[in-house]
Amino acid sequence: MRRALAIQADIQTLHSLIAEAAMAVRGYLLTGRDDFLNPYRHAQQALPATLDSLRRHVRDPVVMASLRHIDELWQRKQESLEELRIEGRSLPPADLQAHLIGSKGVLDELRTEIQITYARETELVREYSAAARRAFLRNLWVDFVTSALVLASGLGAFLLLFSGVVQRVKLLVVNAERLSRGEALETLPNGRDELGLLAERLQNASVLLARRADEARAASLAKTQFLSRTSHELRTPLNAILGFAQLLETDLRGSPHSPQLEHILVAGRHLLTLIDEVLDIARIESGDLKLSLAPQSLHELAQEATDLVTPFAQRQGIVLHLVPPFADVAALADRQRLRQVLINLLSNAIKYNRPGGEVFLGVRLESDQVWISIRDTGIGIRPELLPRLFAPFERLDAEHAGVEGTGLGLAVSRQLMRCMGGDIEVQSTPGVGSVFSLRLARARRAADAPPAATSAAPATNTSQPNDMRPVLVIEDNASNLALMQALIARRPQWRMVAARDGEAGLREARAEPPALILLDLNLSGRSGESVLAELRADPAFRETPVVVVSADALPETIERLRAAGANDYLTKPLEVARFLALLDRIAA
């Protein structure tokens, strides 16, 4: 039992070291910072010792075979990680993509083999416990007969011992099962015999697992923080690029420079989509994706999704059809994520269609399930390519067909559907078209659609109609301030007051109460969140509209800031039309 528990602890350590090594190299590829490789170097040093410990303790031939396979897979994974560390940042995107997919496959094999090994050891622990109990009961029977024949007075003492030991063995078995499930152990009587030592070992193993769980939670939190910082750092420069490009598009519409501006906007939005999809994949893999499952009206979602992609369809010459019936059909889903999946699949159906083609969006009921189908009349998908359809960064023949994309949309969509308890299925006939079907649990009634975000009414303004209203912009990035200045200049009823940090913003607000405050979150010195808290605590600013403008696009951040008192939350890169509409709405 002690050896089996030691083997289980080593398997947990092995799994943690391999996961930390892979995460470290991925972080290094994203950031280029050498300190991200510290967990990888630690794993290189610690893994051989852990594998040696397992070889010394393992007796079971099945586990030994799995261990040899794990050793081989780790060598392959280590070689792959080392190549990524040395050459990954200089590889062309296509080669890096192929290398990452191959390395992910090896990591999946490792995880599967480790799970098989751990499950086998758990089975052995049960067998050892059962064998010990059977042997103990056999010995008890012999002792009982002997004691009954030798001395009747010893019977009472023997029965007392019998009852106590069996109870302890049962508790040990229960604790072994609870340990395998990661639950807290029941308290056992103190003892220095074998049972007492076994109970002590189980308790130590429980403490070890709890510590590993805490470490895993800490690693997950660090990854979430890293994703937030990465999103902010990538979105901040894109804000200036796309913001000024949208202004130039408006000013130079119809000029010879319009096609070049269109290329800038398409490339910038393509990069933004890639950032969002990579962050979604990372959140799903780490278990950080938060969903709010509730009954959703499919008619409303379908109408909303088709309205959003209709301009794109018109440019491509594609006709969209909503196939009834949609009325009163509801599914259990997260509204935002289901809309994201629908928009992605509708966009694909438009992109991969033929000129003058059609796209049909329909729904059907099947027992307690709802199927949403998106059918196109496009080029279709060859049967041999279907197994690769949902692989990350896999674009099949799209690159040769000249269709833009990231290769992540379908991978993210399938993962989102599975997180909502559903899935995606596909049927395709080359030259005829494809049908993507979304499966979800049926809901009995649709939830009310969440109210659209609205800004609070502006503070009472006693100035004359022609006076310019002050809008306070608290932002520490020079490019973003320049963009704000250019945008606000297009609305003559507003004038901009700038502050480069939180303290300066509070001073400006108190010196001249603004009609609107635009607040960045990641400010130098004092954070934007603490500035918002102080503004809402001051009676003079409780009714002043405060709109957060941040590159942090994580849903949990947006929800937290709205709950803290923000009237609206705009993510960078800014949508110029939405920003100007916000100014007009507050000025009205």
Side-chain angles (χ1 to χ4, degrees):
M1 285 288 289
R2 287 196 297 268
R3 186 174 66 249
L5 291 173
I7 290 171
Q8 285 186 324
D10 284 341
I11 291 172
Q12 290 283 356
T13 302
L14 184 70
H15 183 271
S16 297
L17 289 171
I18 291 172
E20 290 168 1
M23 187 182 297
V25 173
R26 191 187 310 164
Y28 171 73
L29 288 177
L30 286 172
T31 64
R33 289 177 53 181
D34 191 69
D35 57 342
F36 273 83
L37 292 173
N38 290 339
Y40 170 64
R41 297 188 181 105
H42 170 68
Q44 285 182 310
Q45 296 174 358
L47 267 166
T50 304
L51 288 170
D52 287 341
S53 176
L54 284 168
R55 295 188 192 99
R56 288 195 306 272
H57 288 96
V58 168
R59 299 290 186 271
D60 183 74
V62 175
V63 178
M64 184 64 75
S66 291
L67 189 58
R68 286 194 293 270
H69 192 199
I70 289 171
D71 197 359
E72 294 171 359
L73 288 172
W74 164 243
Q75 296 302 323
R76 288 170 53 194
K77 182 63 178 177
Q78 188 177 19
E79 292 171 2
S80 174
L81 292 175
E82 190 65 15
E83 290 178 11
L84 283 172
R85 182 185 70 83
I86 296 172
E87 303 174 0
R89 293 183 61 79
S90 61
L91 286 174
D95 293 345
L96 177 58
Q97 170 188 334
H99 200 302
L100 286 171
I101 292 173
S103 182
K104 177 67 165 54
V106 176
L107 182 59
D108 289 341
E109 286 187 57
L110 266 170
R111 286 173 172 163
T112 301
E113 197 65 34
I114 288 173
Q115 290 172 354
I116 292 171
T117 306
Y118 190 84
R120 174 59 179 166
E121 281 299 324
T122 301
E123 181 182 353
L124 290 175
V125 168
R126 295 195 190 98
E127 292 176 2
Y128 296 156
S129 299
R133 183 167 56 184
R134 289 194 299 270
F136 186 74
L137 290 174
R138 285 196 302 269
N139 291 337
L140 284 178
W141 176 250
V142 173
D143 290 343
F144 174 78
V145 173
T146 303
S147 299
L149 294 174
V150 173
L151 188 61
S153 62
L155 182 59
F158 172 76
L159 289 174
L160 182 61
L161 175 65
F162 174 83
S163 176
V165 172
V166 169
Q167 184 64 27
R168 292 170 67 194
V169 171
K170 288 181 178 178
L171 285 174
L172 284 172
V173 173
V174 170
N175 277 350
E177 293 175 352
R178 294 174 71 89
L179 182 65
S180 67
R181 297 193 298 267
E183 299 175 356
L185 304 187
E186 295 186 5
T187 304
L188 286 173
N190 293 329
R192 299 309 302 170
D193 56 4
E194 290 297 324
L195 293 178
L197 293 175
L198 179 56
E200 182 181 345
R201 297 298 188 276
L202 286 174
Q203 186 63 39
N204 292 341
S206 175
V207 171
L208 175 64
L209 289 177
R211 185 163 62 248
R212 295 296 187 195
D214 290 339
E215 292 173 355
R217 283 190 290 269
S220 177
L221 177 60
K223 183 175 182 179
T224 300
Q225 292 171 344
F226 168 73
L227 288 173
S228 178
R229 289 195 300 270
T230 301
S231 172
H232 179 271
E233 294 303 321
L234 293 174
R235 285 171 170 271
T236 296
L238 271 178
N239 185 50
I241 295 170
L242 288 176
F244 281 114
Q246 290 175 80
L247 289 179
L248 289 172
E249 180 186 38
T250 301
D251 294 342
L252 302 179
R253 184 172 286 117
S255 75
H257 300 292
S258 292
Q260 290 90 333
L261 280 171
E262 180 66 21
H263 284 302
I264 294 174
L265 287 168
V266 169
R269 286 165 180 157
H270 177 71
L271 178 57
L272 180 61
T273 300
L274 178 60
I275 293 168
D276 289 338
E277 289 177 342
V278 167
L279 293 178
D280 276 342
I281 285 283
R283 281 198 292 269
I284 292 170
E285 289 181 349
S286 65
D288 291 331
L289 185 69
K290 293 180 173 60
L291 297 177
S292 177
L293 299 183
Q296 305 296 341
S297 167
L298 296 185
H299 180 268
E300 293 177 7
L301 277 170
Q303 191 64 58
E304 188 176 342
T306 52
D307 288 346
L308 289 170
V309 301
T310 293
F312 177 44
Q314 291 173 343
R315 290 196 301 270
Q316 302 293 111
I318 306 298
V319 180
L320 298 176
H321 302 279
L322 277 180
V323 181
F326 268 97
D328 297 328
V329 177
L332 190 64
D334 181 285
R335 183 180 185 84
Q336 176 185 350
R337 294 303 185 176
L338 181 55
R339 182 180 63 177
Q340 178 181 342
V341 173
L342 286 173
I343 291 173
N344 181 59
L345 293 180
L346 287 170
S347 299
N348 283 351
I350 295 168
K351 284 193 295 186
Y352 296 98
N353 219 314
R354 64 182 78 251
E358 297 176 287
V359 176
F360 300 86
L361 177 60
V363 65
R364 75 177 190 274
L365 300 178
E366 188 176 289
S367 185
D368 290 334
Q369 295 181 334
V370 179
W371 291 86
I372 308 170
S373 63
I374 295 93
R375 179 170 65 88
D376 64 64
T377 59
I379 59 178
I381 305 166
R382 299 199 308 273
E384 65 270 19
L385 297 179
L386 287 175
R388 298 157 45 197
L389 187 62
F390 294 99
F393 299 104
E394 180 61 70
R395 300 195 58 221
L396 305 183
D397 291 334
E399 295 175 352
H400 302 295
V403 180
E404 295 247 342
T406 64
L408 283 172
L410 286 178
V412 171
S413 295
R414 167 167 275 187
Q415 292 294 335
L416 288 174
M417 289 300 299
R418 289 179 173 176
C419 288
M420 291 186 288
D423 207 345
I424 298 181
E425 296 181 4
V426 60
Q427 296 176 329
S428 185
T429 303
V432 177
S434 304
V435 180
F436 284 81
S437 299
L438 309 180
R439 174 176 56 80
L440 286 166
R442 183 182 181 184
R444 294 306 173 190
R445 66 179 184 84
D448 295 332
T454 58
S455 298
T460 304
N461 184 2
T462 58
S463 60
Q464 296 300 317
N466 293 328
D467 288 348
M468 299 175 69
R469 292 184 173 188
V471 51
L472 175 58
V473 180
I474 308 176
E475 168 68 67
D476 60 356
N477 183 278
S479 297
N480 290 335
L481 276 175
L483 175 61
M484 290 288 191
Q485 181 69 63
L487 290 171
I488 292 170
R490 294 178 178 250
R491 292 297 183 262
Q493 66 269 42
W494 294 97
R495 62 180 174 84
M496 175 174 146
V497 179
R500 297 295 292 268
D501 58 60
E503 292 296 342
L506 290 171
R507 288 195 302 271
E508 291 287 351
R510 293 184 175 111
E512 181 184 12
L516 169 65
I517 299 175
L518 302 175
L519 176 63
D520 187 23
L521 286 184
N522 293 280
L523 299 169
S524 56
R526 186 168 186 175
S527 72
E529 194 163 351
S530 69
V531 172
L532 176 63
E534 184 163 336
L535 287 170
R536 288 308 182 221
D538 189 337
F541 299 105
R542 284 179 185 167
E543 301 301 321
T544 303
V546 179
V547 176
V548 175
V549 184
S550 175
D552 187 346
L554 292 176
E556 51 266 34
T557 303
I558 298 174
E559 292 176 8
R560 188 177 73 252
L561 269 295
R562 286 187 183 276
N567 298 88
D568 208 342
Y569 193 111
L570 304 180
T571 57
K572 300 174 184 176
L574 285 173
E575 296 179 20
V576 169
R578 181 183 175 189
F579 181 82
L580 295 176
L582 171 72
L583 293 181
D584 294 340
R585 185 169 67 249
I586 293 178

